[in-house]
């Protein structure tokens, strides 16, 4: 496999990170306040979220800023719920109810924040998604429990394999999908974790309405199963994974699917997920973030719908600006950068600008020859100032007129 583009993207990523790390001093600001450096005497600005605004509008609470409680107690649920609407080319208009619960299992000073997220999504094209995702930290971060359970009823277009497919190649595929992914990681050193898990994906009632040549050549049976163990190595220095202000995250995940565990075929994959967050300028509410995601087929032949594809990472956020499933092949490389900035000093409103680049390998040669760029901007609305959960509204665009409006609860990465 030609790894020239892999080397270029990875080198650029690490050069940028190294330079910015040398430039920025450590972050000192409290997560719930911001310092006004324009004055010689620092002024504390109390943070607000959408619930504060609603309470003020209803005149049910007349509380001075000095009395606002921003402390977080062990075991207390920080609950956020938001209805959302959006539009993408792959789904048409989207309606969803997004729910997030955040909590500390023990002392917030020594334990990272845990979160449980679920929602119900229904789209104009009769797509249904019901996920339950959890990222739970036990006392003193000794264990990290990861759960990703989902049900999909998901008619969607596919465009074939490789980087040179066209919108005109679209072929409608309809199927149901049950995903049961779970892992347990143990801390082996400060911010270092290793763990094992079991991943199960079953798709059934798979039907292709039109006949795409790549799909026909690769194969698309009416049912497919991918099941087997997963080994994970993780480094995570982020304090808050819901909305990181600083820190470094690296996950290396090796998945082995086995016929002996009822998989359709034997195949293995490797996912390397690298993220860096830099508080810029230091002491502000602004963050410069980088995301490098490499999704590689190590051996074997995955079912067509398990192949690396745009927007089919665990958070369904890869490739903003492109239709979900727009590019698909045996290997995928991705790089994104985003700048998150405060619009209001009380943290209620923020904005983002982002740019990304993705490349899938040719099929069947498996060489990397082409990059698809994307970019866009977005608005952030603080839903819960204690967990720092935001409602995210992004408009993204890509090559050849690709575009879309994306609405979610939580940051993209």
């Amino acid at each position: 496999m030609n790894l020239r583009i892999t080397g270029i993207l990875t080198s650029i990523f690490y050069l940028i990170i190294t330079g910015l790390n040398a430039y920025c001093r450590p972050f000192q600001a409290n997560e719930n306040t911001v310092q006004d450096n324009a004055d010689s005497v620092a002024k504390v600005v109390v943070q607000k979220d959408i619930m504060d605004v609603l309470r003020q509008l209803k005149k049910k609470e007349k509380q001075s800023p000095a009395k606002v409680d921003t402390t977080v107690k062990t075991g207390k649920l920080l609950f956020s719920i938001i209805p959302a609407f959006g539009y993408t080319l792959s789904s048409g208009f989207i309606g969803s109810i997004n729910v997030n619960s955040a909590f500390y299992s023990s002392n917030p000073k020594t334990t990272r924040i845990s979160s449980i997220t679920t929602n119900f999504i229904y789209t104009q094209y009769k797509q249904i998604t019901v996920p339950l995702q959890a990222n739970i930290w036990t006392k003193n971060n000794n264990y990290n429990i990861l759960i990703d359970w989902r049900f999909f009823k998901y008619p969607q277009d596919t465009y074939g394999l490789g980087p040179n497919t066209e919108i005109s190649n679209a072929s409608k595929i309809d199927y149901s999908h049950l995903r049961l992914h779970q892992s347990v990681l143990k801390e082996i050193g400060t911010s270092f974790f290793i763990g094992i898990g079991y991943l199960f994906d079953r798709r059934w009632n798979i039907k292709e309405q039109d006949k795409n040549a790549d799909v026909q050549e690769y194969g698309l049976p009416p049912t497919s199963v991918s099941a087997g163990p997963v080994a994970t190595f993780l480094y995570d220095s982020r304090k808050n994974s819901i909305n990181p202000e600083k820190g470094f995250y690296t996950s290396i995940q090796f998945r082995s699917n086995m016929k002996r565990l009822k998989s359709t075929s034997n195949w293995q994959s490797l996912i390397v997920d690298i993220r860096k967050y830099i508080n810029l300028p230091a002491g502000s509410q602004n963050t410069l973030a980088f995301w490098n995601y490499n999704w590689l087929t190590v051996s074997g032949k995955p079912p067509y719908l398990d192949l690396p594809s745009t927007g089919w990472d665990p958070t369904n956020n890869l490739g903003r600006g492109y239709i979900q499933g727009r590019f698909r092949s045996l290997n995928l490389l991705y790089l994104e950068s985003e700048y998150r900035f405060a619009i209001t000093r009380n943290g209620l409103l923020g904005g983002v600008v982002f740019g990304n680049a993705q490349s899938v390998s040719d099929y069947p040669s498996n060489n990397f020859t082409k990059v698809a760029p994307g970019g866009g901007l977005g608005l952030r609305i603080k839903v819960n100032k204690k967990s720092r959960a935001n409602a995210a509204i992004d408009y993204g665009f890509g090559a050849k007129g690709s575009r879309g409006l994306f609405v979610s609860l939580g940051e993209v990465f």
Side-chain angles (χ1 to χ4, degrees):
M1 181 175 66
N2 186 346
L3 298 180
R4 183 178 302 171
I5 294 182
T6 311
I8 293 173
L9 291 178
T10 305
S11 297
I12 292 173
F13 176 79
Y14 280 108
L15 283 172
I16 294 173
I17 295 302
T18 303
L20 288 170
N21 272 335
Y23 172 79
C24 298
R25 65 182 184 273
F27 174 61
Q28 301 291 337
N30 183 281
E31 289 184 351
N32 292 317
T33 60
V34 61
Q35 301 297 322
D36 184 0
N37 294 320
D39 299 322
S40 58
V41 179
K43 297 179 181 179
V44 176
V45 178
V46 174
Q47 300 293 275
K48 289 188 177 182
D49 57 29
I50 193 65
M51 296 308 298
D52 294 325
V53 175
L54 293 176
R55 282 192 290 264
Q56 290 176 2
L57 290 175
K58 293 180 180 180
K59 297 182 179 180
K60 288 185 177 181
E61 181 174 294
K62 296 181 179 179
Q63 192 175 40
S64 65
K67 296 181 181 180
V68 175
D69 181 16
T70 58
T71 60
V72 181
K73 298 178 181 180
T74 301
K76 182 179 180 180
L77 285 179
L78 308 175
F79 187 75
S80 305
I81 182 169
I82 181 172
F85 301 91
Y87 177 84
T88 67
L89 293 179
S90 62
S91 60
F93 290 100
I94 303 169
S96 67
I97 299 293
N98 304 276
V99 180
N100 176 266
S101 295
F103 60 93
Y104 288 95
S105 60
S106 62
N107 188 342
K109 294 182 179 180
T110 59
T111 304
R112 301 179 189 187
I113 193 167
S114 300
S115 67
I116 301 174
T117 302
T118 187
N119 54 38
F120 176 83
I121 301 172
Y122 186 79
T123 78
Q124 179 184 350
Y125 300 152
K126 300 181 180 179
Q127 298 162 333
I128 299 173
T129 305
V130 185
L132 174 65
Q133 297 170 290
N135 183 5
I136 299 173
W137 296 91
T138 64
K139 185 177 180 180
N140 298 324
N141 306 317
N142 288 327
Y143 289 92
N144 185 205
I145 302 169
L146 302 172
I147 294 173
D148 185 357
W149 297 343
R150 305 190 204 186
F151 169 76
F152 299 87
K153 178 68 174 68
Y154 219 79
Q156 189 185 58
D157 286 339
T158 188
Y159 303 88
L161 298 173
N164 297 309
T165 58
E166 300 290 344
I167 294 292
S168 58
N169 296 340
S171 174
K172 183 72 69 178
I173 295 179
D174 194 359
Y175 62 94
S176 297
H177 178 193
L178 178 65
R179 173 188 293 175
L180 299 174
H181 292 189
Q182 45 275 307
S183 296
V184 177
L185 282 68
K186 174 71 173 70
E187 186 176 37
I188 58 172
T190 304
S191 300
F192 285 95
F193 301 82
I194 59 171
I196 59 173
Y198 175 74
L199 307 187
F200 176 88
D201 290 277
R202 182 177 186 270
R203 296 177 176 87
W204 67 97
N205 293 335
I206 304 172
K207 300 174 183 177
E208 185 186 12
Q209 294 181 7
D210 304 308
K211 302 301 181 183
N212 180 284
D214 287 346
V215 177
Q216 295 299 301
E217 180 183 351
Y218 191 88
L220 187 69
T223 301
S224 71
V225 176
S226 295
V230 60
T232 303
F233 172 84
L234 174 68
Y235 176 82
D236 189 358
S237 65
R238 302 172 302 173
K239 177 65 176 177
N240 185 332
S241 61
I242 297 172
N243 184 3
E245 285 185 327
K246 61 175 182 175
F248 189 74
Y249 171 95
T250 297
S251 171
I252 301 174
Q253 186 180 81
F254 180 78
R255 176 179 183 176
S256 181
N257 300 276
M258 305 175 181
K259 284 186 176 181
R260 70 181 67 177
L261 296 176
K262 307 302 182 182
S263 286
T264 302
S265 61
N266 292 320
W267 61 276
Q268 291 76 42
S269 67
L270 179 69
I271 294 177
V272 180
D273 186 345
I274 303 170
R275 309 178 190 189
K276 176 65 180 178
Y277 306 87
I278 301 170
N279 183 229
L280 188 69
S284 71
Q285 297 183 90
N286 304 343
T287 299
L288 180 62
F290 297 92
W291 184 22
N292 179 216
Y293 194 88
N294 303 305
W295 186 356
L296 309 173
T297 301
V298 176
S299 65
K301 183 179 180 181
Y304 183 83
L305 294 172
D306 277 307
L307 288 169
S309 181
T310 305
W312 279 110
D313 58 298
T315 58
N316 300 126
N317 287 324
L318 190 151
R320 274 181 295 175
Y322 288 92
I323 305 170
Q324 189 179 43
R326 176 63 186 87
F327 298 106
R328 187 186 302 267
S329 193
L330 289 169
N331 298 292
L332 181 150
L333 306 176
Y334 186 73
L335 180 64
E336 178 163 353
S337 180
E338 179 175 270
Y339 187 61
R340 305 167 185 171
F341 55 90
I343 295 176
T344 60
R345 292 174 65 233
N346 62 11
L348 178 63
L349 296 179
V352 303
V353 291
F354 60 89
N356 58 55
Q358 62 183 304
S359 179
V360 298
S361 57
D362 289 329
Y363 183 81
S365 69
N366 221 21
N367 294 323
F368 287 97
T369 59
K370 190 174 182 179
V371 175
L377 48 84
L379 178 69
R380 296 293 180 267
I381 304 172
K382 190 74 70 185
V383 177
N384 190 306
K385 62 176 177 282
K386 294 184 179 181
S387 67
R388 302 188 67 248
N390 287 329
I393 306 170
D394 295 326
Y395 180 81
F397 51 87
K400 298 184 179 180
S402 182
R403 65 195 183 282
L405 182 67
F406 306 88
V407 181
S408 62
L409 182 60
E411 296 303 321
V412 169
F413 66 95

